[in-house]
């Protein structure tokens, strides 16, 4: 391939119609005509779908035939197709630093559909700025960084465990961080799982055991990630590990400690349906298989220490900060249920017999707090009538605007399980729509719907209250018949929506963004569903959006495969767009040194020196330098000057 | 033809830039009279860039940065930007440019509706202010 000559700018502009997405609003022919007049532009053309094979070939041919040394693609957003065109221009021998994609779709046609003339003019201005920028871009050698062949998975639910096992099986060491004393996530709290009705514990416990004994997986429970620095291929993380106070290796699970412990607290595993001690085993199959002290409630009385036959307990154990270097991160922190107390009309948190869907799961589990008997929590009497309220706090602008997608299925499952345990019981299910898309799901729902004693009622519940005899009274409207309904019930079960379990602070540390509802944001819902804006950080499971188990598992394996792809390389090429010092101008004042948030600049022999690997390319130093001696590569003073001039050089008509 | 303003906006690509993208995906319409440029961090901008933009013909300059305290991609870029631009706004009046012609807002990526609303508001403000009367005074700075 002929070497490209970068001396005089020869820029090609490629304007995409995106079908009609752009062309229906922006007059692309006019745009082409206008951009041809821009300084440095020697070629401009438009095409229906620039991202298609033919579209890319147009670019490649033009680079070769017109001897282009710069390319501007005006199309959709860089997050969608930057890489597509980067590969195309590089295949024609042009360095991608002399290519840019600017959005005239998200940034123009899709938001200015009301004004064709201005949208067209704006598109020209956007392209003019990009041309000015590319004209001044220099080609720098890429900076190579070593990749740390180790991965971090945050969250030990089914998604996190699956990702960890997949990565570990590829021979890559994994660190799995779980904030609870055991892995398992929400799935371990479930009874059976739709649509196959296999027991949740039987499916998940072998996975948990596999994680526990996998030679490539290092598990930190009671732990949270408190700091993340670095970048794709090379992150440095700090993990805070709360004291367990029980030695995992020594504990023999005899349970004497728990018997001796005088402190009783609410058991979060059963969602408050039972009590546990301050030293406890979360549940029999917990991994790691060891008791744990709840340091918040423990009174340090020392009773457990006295009875432990193997001296496994150490009440003086302190919190630890563990530091690890990893090359990639998977975030799988899962979900929580929406807070039912925000729905006072349903009486959650007011009446004992109004419970949430996870509590109902616990009532079904044979080893659960009621040994699998479905009873009124107020007095332990058998529950002969159960009302299920679907979409509780969901699809409601005052609560959660979205649909959590799995509740129709789990409510059908719960009604079925209820009938199998209480054959003469009655189940009423209030729904708005029943949504059961999924393999085998509709069939499952049909089956449940036909069971005598299970009644589906289309409508919303207005209010739930308790009468003098401790029965719940549910009032609502059947919107199909228009009838007002009043049902006397023993239990009311709320299908509360799924909310993400991802605090903003952790998201900010990981540099990933969240959507309007707080779920982790993928780069592209269709094409990059597990990638995040932060390179090297991937997402899996319910933290990205409401999901059932099969979807969580599929996404976890997808995230794992991305991690494996990344960590199978030895080096990663870093963007060379870092700060650069003009030594002849630098007077060594050191202002940049103190400005840099990464400590990437130092003074050597009286002039500033940039550590290219540490520099993140923000440009803070360039704006601070009083003599203009430090600049950001390819976003220099000259770039700004010319971009601004180009935007205002375009004539309005 | 009657005068219409053309503004320039610099968006922090990790937050405000994504918000602008979401505005597109959600078809939230806003005034076209602003050209938005994504940059890694607004802390790259020095007051000189802003002044130069006014000189080159900008009727207003917009900066969309990341919401403090924790969302800055570069730890402290938002604070740095705020301090610099705050000082610049104090100076602007002295050379005859209304400080309202420079506006900063802070974002996290889901705030696309806010972005559209803020831009519309800003364009309206500039329309009310009218064109910059004398750019020579700026030049003399
Ligand atoms: C009532 C109910 C019934 C259901 N029934 C079914 C069913 O029958 N079939 C089906 O397919 N699906 C069912 N589901 C859905 C299923 O529970 C989810 O799809 C699945 O649990 C999602 O797995 P996950 O790993 O993404 O999240 P989770 O299970 O929530 O796991 C996340 C893990 O991350 C940990 N974590 C959170 N934050 C942090 C942090 N900052 N640091 C470290 N660790 C952290 C949590 O402690 C947890 O262990 C049901 C859900 C509900 C609510």
């Amino acid at each position: 391939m002929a070497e490209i000559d970068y001396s005089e700018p020869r820029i090609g502009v490629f304007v995409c119609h995106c079908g009609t997405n752009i062309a229906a609003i922006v007059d692309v022919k006019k745009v082409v005509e206008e951009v041809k007049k821009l300084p440095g532009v020697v070629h401009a053309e438009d095409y229906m779908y620039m991202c298609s094979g033919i579209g890319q070939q147009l670019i490649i041919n033009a680079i070769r035939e017109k001897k282009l040394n710069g390319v501007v693609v005006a199309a959709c957003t860089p997050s969608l197709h930057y890489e597509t065109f980067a590969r195309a221009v590089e295949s024609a021998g042009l360095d991608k630093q002399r290519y840019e994609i600017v959005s005239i779709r998200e940034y123009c046609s899709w938001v200015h559909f009301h004004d064709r003339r201005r949208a067209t003019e704006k598109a020209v201005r956007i392209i003019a700025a990009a041309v000015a920028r590319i004209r001044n871009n220099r080609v720098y050698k890429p900076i190579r960084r070593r990749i740390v062949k180790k991965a971090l998975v945050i969250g030990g639910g089914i998604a996190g465990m699956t990702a960890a096992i997949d990565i570990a099986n590829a021979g890559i060491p994994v660190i799995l961080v779980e904030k609870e004393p055991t892995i398992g996530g929400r799935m371990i709290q479930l009874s059976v799982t739709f649509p196959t009705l296999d027991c949740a514990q039987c499916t998940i416990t072998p996975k948990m055991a596999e994680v526990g004994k996998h030679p490539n997986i290092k598990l930190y429970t009671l732990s949270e990630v408190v700091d993340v620095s670095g970048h794709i291929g090379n992150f440095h993380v700090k993990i805070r590990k709360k004291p367990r106070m029980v030695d995992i290796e020594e504990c023999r699970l005899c349970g004497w400690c728990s018997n001796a412990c005088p402190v009783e607290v609410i058991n979060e595993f059963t969602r408050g349906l039972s009590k546990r001690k301050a030293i406890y085993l979360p549940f029999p199959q917990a991994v790691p298989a060891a008791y744990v002290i709840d340091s918040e409630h423990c009174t340090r009385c020392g009773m457990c220490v006295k009875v432990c036959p193997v001296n496994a307990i150490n009440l003086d154990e302190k919190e630890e900060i563990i530091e690890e270097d990893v090359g990639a991160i998977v975030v799988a922190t899962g979900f929580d249920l929406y807070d039912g107390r925000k729905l006072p009309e349903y009486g959650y948190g007011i009446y004992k017999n109004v419970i949430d869907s996870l509590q109902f799961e616990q009532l079904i589990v044979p080893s659960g707090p009621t040994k699998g008997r479905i009873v009124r929590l107020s007095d332990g009497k058998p529950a002969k009538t159960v009302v299920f309220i679907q979409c509780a706090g969901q699809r409601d602008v005052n609560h959660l605007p979205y649909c959590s997608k799995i509740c129709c299925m789990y409510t059908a499952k719960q009604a079925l399980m209820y009938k199998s345990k209480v054959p003469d019981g009655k189940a009423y299910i209030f729904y708005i729509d029943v949504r059961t898309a999924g393999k085998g799901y509709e069939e499952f729902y049909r089956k449940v719907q036909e069971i005598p004693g299970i009644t589906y009622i289309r409508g919303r519940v207005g209010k739930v209250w308790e009468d003098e005899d401790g029965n719940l009274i549910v009032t609502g409207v059947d919107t199909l018949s228009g009838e007002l309904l009043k049902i006397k019930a023993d239990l009311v079960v709320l299908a509360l929506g799924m909310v993400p379990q991802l605090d903003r602070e952790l998201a900010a540390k990981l540099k990933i963004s969240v959507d309007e509802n707080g779920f982790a944001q993928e780069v592209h819902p269709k094409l990059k569903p597990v990638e995040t804006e932060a390179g090297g950080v991937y997402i899996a499971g319910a933290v990205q959006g409401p999901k059932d188990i099969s979807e969580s598992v599929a996404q976890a394996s997808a995230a794992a495969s991305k991690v494996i792809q990344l960590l199978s390389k030895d080096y990663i090429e870093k963007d060379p767009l870092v700060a650069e010092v003009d030594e002849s101008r630098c007077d060594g004042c050191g202002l940049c040194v103190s400005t840099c948030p990464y400590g990437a600049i130092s003074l050597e022999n009286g002039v500033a020196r940039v550590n290219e690997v540490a520099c993140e390319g923000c440009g803070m130093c360039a704006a601070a330098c009083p003599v203009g001696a430090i600049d950001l590569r390819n976003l220099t003073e000259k770039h700004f000057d010319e971009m601004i001039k180009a935007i205002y050089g375009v004539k309005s008509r | 033809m009657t005068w219409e303003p053309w503004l320039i906006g610099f968006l922090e690509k990790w937050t405000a830039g994504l918000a602008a993208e979401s505005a597109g995906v959600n078809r939230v319409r806003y005034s076209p009279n602003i050209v938005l440029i994504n940059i890694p961090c607004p802390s790259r901008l020095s007051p000189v860039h802003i002044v130069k933009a006014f000189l080159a013909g900008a009727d207003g300059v917009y900066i969309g940065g990341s919401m403090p305290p924790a969302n800055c991609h570069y730890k402290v870029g938002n604070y740095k930007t705020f301090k610099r631009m705050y000082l610049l706004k104090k100076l602007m009046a002295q050379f005859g440019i209304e400080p309202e012609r420079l506006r900063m807002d802070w974002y996290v990526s889901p705030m696309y509706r806010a972005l559209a609303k803020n831009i519309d508001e800003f364009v309206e403000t500039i329309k009310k202010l009218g064109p910059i009367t004398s750019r020579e005074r700026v030049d003399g700075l």
Side-chain angles (χ1 to χ4, degrees):
Chain A
M1 218 179 300
E3 274 286 306
I4 297 220
D5 175 9
Y6 291 107
S7 51
E8 282 300 310
R10 295 185 59 80
I11 295 167
V13 179
F14 300 86
V15 184
C16 182
H17 296 204
C18 193
T20 55
N21 277 308
I22 293 169
I25 314 296
V26 171
D27 183 347
V28 286
K29 296 287 177 204
K30 178 89 164 267
V31 170
V32 168
E33 198 182 297
E34 290 295 320
V35 299
K36 276 187 178 156
K37 300 177 194 158
L38 296 169
V41 173
V42 296
H43 175 78
E45 65 182 303
D46 59 289
Y47 184 63
M48 187 65 93
Y49 290 108
M50 231 18 125
C51 58
S52 67
I54 301 175
Q56 294 182 44
Q57 197 57 47
L58 287 177
I59 300 175
I60 294 169
N61 292 347
I63 293 173
R64 292 193 178 131
E65 286 157 21
K66 303 272 161 90
K67 306 219 172 322
L68 301 182
N69 60 15
V71 163
V72 171
V73 181
C76 54
T77 150
S79 35
L80 196 55
H81 277 313
Y82 174 84
E83 295 295 338
T84 312
F85 297 114
R87 277 193 299 269
V89 299
E90 293 207 309
S91 76
L94 182 68
D95 194 290
K96 66 177 179 208
Q97 293 168 68
R98 292 279 289 190
Y99 138 74
E100 180 160 336
I101 171 171
V102 283
S103 168
I104 55 168
R105 192 177 76 171
E106 289 79 357
Y107 276 60
C108 192
S109 68
W110 276 357
V111 284
H112 307 318
F113 44 83
H114 54 300
D115 194 336
R116 184 172 171 86
R117 178 180 68 80
R118 287 191 184 80
T120 304
E121 184 176 333
K122 174 164 170 173
V124 177
R125 290 180 195 260
I126 292 174
I127 297 170
V131 167
R133 180 158 180 203
I134 286 302
R135 209 167 49 212
N136 287 294
N137 269 10
R138 299 204 4 223
V139 173
Y140 295 95
K141 267 220 293 296
I143 299 164
R144 288 208 327 174
R145 268 199 302 228
R146 256 203 112 78
I147 284 182
V148 181
K149 289 188 189 270
K150 200 192 258 189
L152 168 71
V153 177
I154 311 175
I158 186 63
M161 290 194 296
T162 305
I165 293 172
D166 281 11
I167 299 168
N169 282 346
I172 298 167
V174 179
I175 293 156
L176 178 58
V177 173
E178 167 59 55
K179 74 172 164 48
E180 299 295 331
T182 170
I183 52 176
R186 285 282 120 86
M187 188 176 163
I188 191 77
Q189 292 177 304
L190 305 180
S191 54
V192 295
T193 52
F194 62 74
T196 45
L197 295 182
D198 37 2
C199 122
Q201 304 208 350
C202 320
T203 351
I204 196 175
T205 44
K207 283 256 173 206
M208 292 167 60
E210 191 178 347
V211 168
K213 60 179 199 302
H214 203 298
N216 280 339
I217 300 179
K218 192 161 180 188
L219 176 61
Y220 293 117
T221 48
L222 291 167
S223 301
E224 279 183 75
V225 171
V226 288
D227 194 42
V228 183
S229 56
H231 5 68
I232 179 168
N234 205 331
F235 295 99
H236 186 73
V237 293
K238 288 194 181 133
I239 299 161
R240 183 172 53 219
K241 191 165 178 283
K242 287 200 287 184
R244 188 182 192 97
M245 298 192 242
V246 178
D247 188 327
I248 293 174
E249 304 300 321
E250 294 301 326
C251 176
R252 295 285 177 273
L253 298 176
C254 67
W256 292 359
C257 53
S258 199
N259 287 337
C261 177
V263 185
E264 263 202 347
V265 288
I266 280 184
N267 187 348
E268 52 288 272
F269 179 71
T270 61
R271 283 189 78 82
L273 297 190
S274 61
K275 295 261 172 71
R276 62 161 171 80
K277 296 294 185 63
I279 182 164
Y280 66 108
L281 186 65
F283 49 89
Q285 310 85 347
V287 171
Y291 276 70
V292 50
I293 291 183
D294 167 355
S295 52
E296 196 189 321
H297 293 104
C298 170
T299 58
R300 311 290 191 276
C301 71
M303 298 292 272
C304 53
V305 181
K306 283 193 203 113
V307 298
C308 178
V310 289
N311 290 326
I313 302 170
N314 172 10
L315 294 179
D316 298 324
E317 192 184 317
K318 293 275 168 311
E319 181 177 293
E320 248 184 288
I321 297 283
I322 297 156
E323 306 201 15
E324 291 274 3
D325 287 317
V326 296
I329 300 176
V330 177
V331 183
T333 50
F335 73 100
D336 225 329
L337 286 187
Y338 186 64
D339 185 356
R341 285 169 304 185
K342 293 187 184 158
L343 302 160
E345 64 272 29
Y346 296 150
Y348 185 84
I350 304 169
Y351 308 123
K352 269 192 155 174
N353 294 333
V354 179
I355 59 175
D356 63 42
S357 47
L358 271 176
Q359 287 172 321
F360 195 77
E361 293 284 335
Q362 282 292 307
L363 290 184
I364 311 174
V365 187
S367 57
T370 56
K371 303 270 173 297
R373 288 188 324 115
I374 299 180
V375 296
R376 296 166 33 135
L377 297 184
S378 56
D379 51 17
K381 285 192 198 145
K384 291 293 184 190
T385 307
V386 179
V387 171
F388 294 89
I389 303 178
Q390 289 198 173
C391 302
Q394 306 186 53
R395 303 171 67 196
D396 179 341
V397 285
N398 298 317
H399 297 282
L400 304 176
Y402 54 90
C403 160
S404 294
K405 163 178 184 178
I406 59 162
C407 324
C408 288
M409 279 302 286
Y410 74 58
T411 302
K413 169 191 79 179
Q414 291 179 344
L416 176 76
M417 292 309 290
Y418 170 66
K419 282 296 287 182
S420 72
K421 287 179 178 266
V422 187
D424 60 340
K426 287 199 190 68
Y428 295 94
I429 301 171
F430 279 89
Y431 70 97
I432 304 177
D433 300 292
V434 174
R435 296 177 170 175
T436 52
K439 199 166 157 177
Y441 288 12
E442 178 70 12
E443 295 87 329
F444 180 86
Y445 159 59
R446 286 261 165 244
K447 205 168 72 191
V448 173
Q449 208 188 16
E450 277 157 20
I451 296 173
I454 297 182
T455 314
Y456 272 83
I457 303 166
R458 186 172 198 278
R460 275 229 191 231
V461 168
K463 201 169 164 53
V464 178
W465 75 89
E466 207 171 74
D467 68 10
E468 311 78 64
D469 309 325
N471 300 310
L472 293 172
I473 310 292
V474 182
T475 52
V477 198
D478 180 336
T479 51
L480 293 181
S481 67
E483 209 183 329
L484 270 174
L485 297 172
K486 194 168 174 184
I487 299 168
K488 195 194 261 189
D490 296 307
L491 280 180
V492 168
V493 184
L494 304 183
L496 296 169
M498 287 170 114
V499 293
Q501 212 180 3
L502 175 63
D503 61 67
R504 301 251 160 168
E505 223 172 295
L506 180 62
K509 282 188 186 120
L510 291 162
K511 294 178 181 164
I512 63 177
S513 43
V514 297
D515 69 15
E516 281 175 292
N517 300 313
F519 288 105
Q521 179 72 47
E522 66 286 345
V523 170
H524 189 272
K526 298 170 201 104
L527 304 181
K528 291 185 174 179
V530 298
E531 287 93 331
T532 67
E533 281 303 322
V537 181
Y538 306 93
I539 46 183
V543 72
Q544 183 258 349
K547 263 182 211 72
D548 63 21
I549 295 162
S550 13
E551 289 170 322
S552 301
V553 168
Q555 210 190 16
S557 286
S561 103
K562 292 287 168 190
V563 170
I564 297 164
Q565 281 171 38
L566 173 66
L567 302 190
S568 61
K569 290 182 250 166
D570 290 326
Y571 289 94
I572 186 162
E573 285 194 354
K574 180 194 165 185
D575 224 348
L577 305 186
V578 295
E580 196 170 43
V581 179
D582 176 350
E583 296 193 0
S584 67
R585 284 203 197 173
C586 176
D587 59 9
C589 73
L591 205 55
C592 53
V593 178
S594 58
T595 301
C596 178
Y598 300 99
I601 312 177
S602 53
L603 282 184
E604 275 174 39
N605 304 323
V607 290
R609 171 144 292 139
V610 177
N611 173 347
E612 292 190 344
V613 173
C615 175
E616 287 283 300
C618 60
M620 233 175 269
C621 53
C625 178
V627 295
I630 191 162
D631 219 334
L632 191 60
R633 285 179 177 173
N634 288 350
L635 201 56
T636 62
E637 293 300 313
K638 194 155 175 243
H639 282 82
F640 275 103
D641 286 356
E642 298 209 2
M643 273 196 293
I644 294 168
K645 277 201 196 110
I647 291 174
Y648 290 102
V650 173
K651 291 275 162 298
S652 280
R653 66 206 63 239
Chain B
M1 213 190 91
T2 52
W3 172 80
E4 68 174 305
W6 276 97
L7 285 62
I8 185 167
F10 297 100
L11 302 185
E12 201 239 44
K13 71 172 181 181
W14 313 97
T15 52
L18 285 180
E21 199 171 307
S22 299
V25 174
N26 292 292
R27 313 294 200 276
V28 179
R29 77 178 232 191
Y30 55 88
S31 166
N33 292 54
I34 182 167
V35 176
L36 298 170
I37 293 182
N38 282 344
I39 55 175
C41 180
S43 70
R44 167 68 187 95
L45 297 170
S46 75
V48 177
H49 294 124
I50 314 297
V51 174
K52 279 181 174 170
F54 284 123
L55 267 181
D59 299 297
V61 179
Y62 188 70
I63 296 175
S66 54
M67 181 78 86
N71 297 290
C72 179
H73 203 82
Y74 306 96
K75 301 185 184 177
V76 292
N78 43 10
Y79 289 105
K80 281 262 182 327
T81 309
F82 175 77
K83 285 196 264 184
R84 285 174 187 154
M85 297 307 155
Y86 181 77
L87 285 178
L88 176 62
K89 272 165 97 75
K90 298 241 150 196
L91 286 174
M92 280 169 64
Q94 294 180 23
F95 45 81
I97 294 187
E98 300 86 343
E100 297 91 312
R101 290 186 189 270
L102 171 60
R103 173 166 169 163
M104 294 177 272
D105 290 308
W106 312 100
Y107 295 93
V108 288
S109 54
M111 292 172 63
Y112 59 88
R113 283 184 211 286
L115 180 88
K117 191 176 133 277
N118 292 340
I119 287 177
D120 276 346
E121 244 175 51
F122 190 36
V123 171
E124 276 316 303
T125 308
I126 301 296
K127 279 187 180 156
K128 286 210 188 84
L129 288 173
I132 294 179
T133 40
S134 157
R135 290 202 152 84
E136 282 72 55
R137 276 189 67 188
V138 189
D139 214 3
L141 183 76

